[in-house]
Amino acid sequence: VSELLFLTPTEAACLLRHYGWKSQKLQSEWLADQKKVRATAGMSEVKATAGTAKPLVQCSTAFCDEVPVAQAHALNCGHWFCDGCWSGYLNSQVTHGRSCVFATCMGMKCTINHPHKFGCACKEIVPEAVVKRYVKDKALVEKYERWLMESFVEGQRSIKWCPNGKCGNAVEYKAGGMKSIACKCGHRFCFSCNAAAHTPAPCDLVKKWNEKSNSDEATEIWLAARTKQCPKCQVRIEKNKACNHMSCS
């Protein structure tokens, strides 16, 4: 995608993340209107901080002063923040959940002096490299990478997670092939419905069979808990009152 659309790998990754890794949709909309795609995805066209010659820059938060350029960073939108602010913000984003893969700049695009609202927030997306630059905790980095992978898998029709709860592999289905997938962990399942492999039975028939089986199992559990067989005729009798004395008809 980066070569086809003349983008850097970082730009291509940010756009693909925004488009749910649907490259065909990204390509068609990019060729139709690049500026609209950039604005929607939160990716500025020109780096506003290019050629910064000042030795000090003002951190955009209300609690920091000027800091050396080497101790600060700005995305293409041009909002400068010191390393401490970036570190605190991105670590917090990863800690709060998988939405961190869509984390945006902390700055405000609105320059008017008024109480900022949601629409004033900068929408510049934070690239993966910037997140990994400021998030040093190994466990948090692993979480972030896992959520990135999950966002990719969920955006692909031909890739799914293995339904085995003890397995973390993603498997790919090649069009035209058997939909009974054998994962490396040894688990076999149907790619269409995630149930245990059931070739040649169709998914809808298997679903009905499972529903019937589960229903019968539930009935047996209820009967075992609420009834007992008559020792003479073997007919089941339900106990519906407090007394343990039973009389079979």
Side-chain angles (χ1 to χ4, degrees):
V1 172
S2 63
E3 293 179 358
L4 184 63
L5 303 182
F6 300 100
L7 296 166
T8 66
T10 297
E11 289 176 323
C14 289
L15 289 173
L16 284 168
R17 221 182 309 163
H18 174 76
Y19 275 84
W21 304 93
K22 295 176 176 62
S23 58
Q24 293 297 327
K25 183 179 180 181
L26 167 59
Q27 290 174 31
S28 62
E29 293 191 11
W30 177 266
L31 295 175
D33 193 339
Q34 295 182 22
K35 289 186 177 180
K36 183 179 178 180
V37 171
R38 284 183 177 274
T40 304
M43 194 175 74
S44 300
E45 188 170 359
V46 180
K47 188 168 184 178
T49 58
T52 301
K54 296 180 180 179
L56 299 175
V57 291
Q58 175 65 51
C59 178
S60 297
T61 60
F63 311 104
C64 294
D65 205 343
E66 290 186 333
V67 294
V69 174
Q71 298 176 18
H73 182 76
L75 303 179
N76 287 0
C77 56
H79 296 122
W80 283 96
F81 293 95
C82 67
D83 290 346
C85 289
W86 273 119
S87 179
Y89 170 68
L90 293 175
N91 276 275
S92 174
Q93 288 291 301
V94 178
T95 301
H96 282 119
R98 59 181 298 173
S99 60
C100 65
V101 299
F102 302 107
T104 56
C105 172
M106 297 177 279
M108 293 290 169
K109 62 182 180 180
C110 177
T111 57
I112 302 174
N113 186 17
H114 71 104
H116 291 299
K117 300 179 180 179
F118 180 75
C120 298
C122 179
K123 296 181 180 179
E124 188 78 16
I125 192 166
V126 181
E128 178 184 353
V130 176
V131 175
K132 291 184 176 180
R133 173 180 171 181
Y134 290 105
V135 178
K136 303 297 184 182
D137 185 271
K138 186 178 179 181
L140 290 181
V141 172
E142 288 177 353
K143 280 185 178 181
Y144 178 75
E145 290 177 342
R146 174 70 179 184
W147 286 323
L148 270 181
M149 181 61 71
E150 285 182 358
S151 73
F152 172 75
V153 171
E154 289 169 4
Q156 305 300 309
R157 292 183 178 181
S158 61
I159 302 177
K160 279 186 177 181
W161 294 107
C162 174
N164 181 4
K166 297 180 180 180
C167 176
N169 294 330
V171 294
E172 182 179 11
Y173 166 69
K174 295 183 179 179
M178 293 287 290
K179 289 204 170 182
S180 292
I181 305 295
C183 180
K184 288 183 178 180
C185 70
H187 183 67
R188 297 182 64 86
F189 68 98
C190 172
F191 191 83
S192 294
C193 65
N194 274 6
H198 51 75
T199 303
C203 295
D204 57 343
L205 183 61
V206 171
K207 182 181 179 181
K208 290 179 181 178
W209 173 259
N210 288 336
E211 288 175 351
K212 182 179 183 301
S213 299
N214 293 335
S215 177
D216 289 345
E217 182 181 0
T219 301
E220 290 179 6
I221 293 172
W222 187 90
L223 288 173
R226 301 289 298 274
T227 69
K228 281 190 176 182
Q229 287 181 324
C230 173
K232 289 186 178 181
C233 66
Q234 306 304 314
V235 172
R236 286 194 168 273
I237 304 172
E238 178 186 4
K239 178 186 175 183
N240 55 11
K241 292 185 179 180
C243 182
N244 286 327
H245 179 74
M246 296 289 179
S247 296
C248 180
S249 57

